[in-house]
Amino acid sequence: MQHITKAIILAGGIELTLLPEFESIPKPLLPVGNLPLIYYSISNLTKNGVKEIYITCKSQDERAFRESLAFMEKGVSIHYVPESVPKGTAGAIYQVAKDFNDDAFWALQGGMIIDLDLMKIAGFHQKENAMVTIVAQRANLPTEGISCNPDGEVEKIYLFHKSRDRRRAYTPSGIYLLNCEVLNYVDPSGYCDLKEQLIPGLRESGLSVRIFESNGDGYIHQIRSMSDYCSTNLEVVESGMVNGYKNDNNYSRNGALVGRESKIAPSAHIIGPVVIGDAVTIGTDCLIVGPAVIGDRVMIGDGSLFRESIALADTVIPEKSKIEYSLWTRNGETFSFKKNGNGNSNHPDDHDDDQWNSFNLPGKSIYNVLIKRIMDVSVSLIGLIFLLPLFLLIAIAIKLDSKGPVFYTQSRCGLNGREFPMIKFRTMVSNAEGLQQQLWEKKDVDGPVFKMKNDPRITKLGRFLRRTSLDEIPQ
């Protein structure tokens, strides 16, 4: 059997921002089970004999990839190929594989998790003498259909009985096995997409493109929505796919994989499987029910229930909270997801209402919420009237201090994933995002997040506004 030793992971495509916390994180580096999403694909590739992995990424994301995946480079040779100009999926593959001497190589999309028998697929590829093998999943076709003419008149109703239906349709999973000869059909000077241009061109030339059906054979999960993200986190924990956890100093406590310097109260009860990050604090009398993921530096207050949920890094859960089937964010906001959901939608309207779950904080009944809402609106209106002169002074000062708008707006995620605009007074120069890449080497934290104590992008007035929290008044 042919041994495939090289793979390309395409990680430079258009990003999907699921949460404000993830805005600066490339999709393949999103934390899943407290590990980068791309970790699982790399692990599966190395388990199947791949020795060299090439990751194509945007130029500005190369450092983030290097820092986040440094812990994996002991077992495999990882090369990073920055893309300054988008060339399409086939164009990106050409730039990497043009110097390969092997007969075939893998190409994968970066925003998914796989656990497959890749050697079996390679055997199929060789047996069928294919130029390209597409790993795909069978798609369900409708058993009834209607055809109409251009005027909208019904022409025919189609009925397909299962015993006589010979139709077959597949959905590509984002995994391809390609022979190096396919590169001869890629125009290196332009833009070339793998699915829309290269593969149709190969078929027109009479070359063999085969389908390997993966239904029920291994694990493939792409992340396209918040529901996908949440369900994937719990699935990798429940299946044990995180057993190659990056920290060496972790230990098992009642089915929990616990990171370094974490403190769990003796009276806390854990029912695994649970993945707990570094420097986590779990208070007295807490009940943690898996599958669950608790990120680095999370603090869970005394007497809290945390059941089949995800807490992002650096979050705080108040004491006596009840978190069930939810994603807990740094702002104390949650996204509630369906238990045993299929990960295809993040909208409650797409499912039965009684299958959606929420969270409860101590002392929050419907009456408490109503009274709080009335007080919030009343106090805000009164405060707005009194603070209007201060608003005008700060706005004038910002315009005099530096060029750019007065306000800074950012989308934030609220209850059930609903986005809302957060408005603050601008405290940075107008081209702050463009300057971020120039300052990347000087940032104060490792990983894909950019943080800098003495950030030169902050204006003189901005430092004063941040120090006094006046920049947050518009909220």
Side-chain angles (χ1 to χ4, degrees), residues 83-383:
E83 296 180 273
S84 55
V85 178
K87 289 283 189 177
T89 47
I93 290 171
Y94 177 87
Q95 295 300 321
V96 176
K98 61 185 179 181
D99 297 323
F100 285 180
N101 297 318
D102 304 61
D103 293 330
F105 60 91
W106 296 103
L108 288 74
Q109 293 180 0
M112 63 181 181
I113 289 180
I114 64 169
D115 188 13
L116 297 171
D117 184 353
L118 298 179
M119 293 185 179
K120 182 179 179 180
I121 301 171
F124 170 87
H125 179 82
Q126 188 174 14
K127 179 182 176 182
E128 298 294 329
N129 196 27
M131 186 65 67
V132 177
T133 294
I134 305 172
V135 180
Q137 296 168 303
R138 180 74 70 92
N140 295 323
L141 293 172
T143 57
E144 296 182 1
I146 301 175
S147 65
C148 298
N149 63 22
D151 296 325
E153 293 287 339
V154 174
E155 292 182 336
K156 188 175 182 180
I157 297 179
Y158 298 92
L159 299 175
F160 299 93
H161 193 274
K162 289 185 178 180
S163 62
R164 303 180 62 183
D165 189 0
R166 297 294 182 266
R167 299 172 302 161
R168 289 195 297 175
Y170 297 90
T171 301
S173 63
I175 305 167
Y176 305 86
L177 183 54
L178 304 96
N179 287 355
C180 286
E181 290 93 322
V182 303
L183 301 178
N184 297 327
Y185 296 84
V186 179
D187 180 6
S189 63
Y191 184 96
C192 185
D193 183 81
L194 180 63
K195 292 183 288 187
E196 295 183 4
Q197 293 168 289
L198 177 58
I199 290 178
L202 294 174
R203 292 298 301 132
E204 290 177 2
S205 301
L207 300 176
S208 176
V209 178
R210 304 290 294 179
I211 290 288
F212 181 90
E213 187 175 338
S214 65
N215 289 41
D217 185 14
Y219 181 89
I220 303 174
H221 201 147
Q222 296 197 30
I223 295 180
R224 299 188 180 96
S225 67
M226 281 293 296
S227 288
D228 288 341
Y229 178 74
C230 295
S231 62
T232 302
N233 265 274
L234 301 190
E235 285 170 12
V236 298
V237 174
E238 195 164 28
S239 64
M241 292 175 67
V242 294
N243 58 6
Y245 195 60
K246 62 181 179 180
N247 290 331
D248 296 327
N249 300 325
N250 53 68
Y251 61 92
S252 178
R253 171 175 168 168
N254 298 334
L257 194 63
V258 184
R260 297 172 296 182
E261 300 179 8
S262 290
K263 298 178 182 179
I264 302 174
S267 60
H269 190 48
I270 298 176
I271 303 174
V274 178
V275 174
I276 300 174
D278 296 339
V280 170
T281 300
I282 299 177
T284 59
D285 300 321
C286 287
L287 176 59
I288 313 295
V289 181
V293 179
I294 301 173
D296 295 341
R297 299 172 297 280
V298 170
M299 297 181 64
I300 301 180
D302 298 342
S304 294
L305 168 64
F306 191 82
R307 179 182 181 183
E308 298 184 48
S309 296
I310 304 139
L312 297 182
D314 301 302
T315 56
V316 178
I317 297 175
E319 62 180 24
K320 297 183 180 179
S321 296
K322 183 181 179 182
I323 313 295
E324 294 181 295
Y325 319 118
S326 297
L327 172 72
W328 186 264
T329 70
R330 292 171 191 160
N331 296 323
E333 301 159 351
T334 66
F335 174 84
S336 301
F337 54 90
K338 182 182 177 184
K339 182 184 178 183
N340 298 325
N342 58 14
N344 291 330
S345 173
N346 61 347
H347 297 290
D349 293 339
D350 294 343
H351 306 282
D352 296 334
D353 290 338
D354 61 351
Q355 298 181 66
W356 281 78
N357 305 280
S358 60
F359 73 102
N360 291 342
L361 292 178
K364 283 197 174 182
S365 66
I366 184 63
Y367 304 105
N368 296 132
V369 173
L370 181 59
I371 293 172
K372 183 180 183 299
R373 180 60 179 168
I374 293 173
M375 291 183 62
D376 286 345
V377 174
S378 301
V379 173
S380 296
L381 288 174
I382 296 172

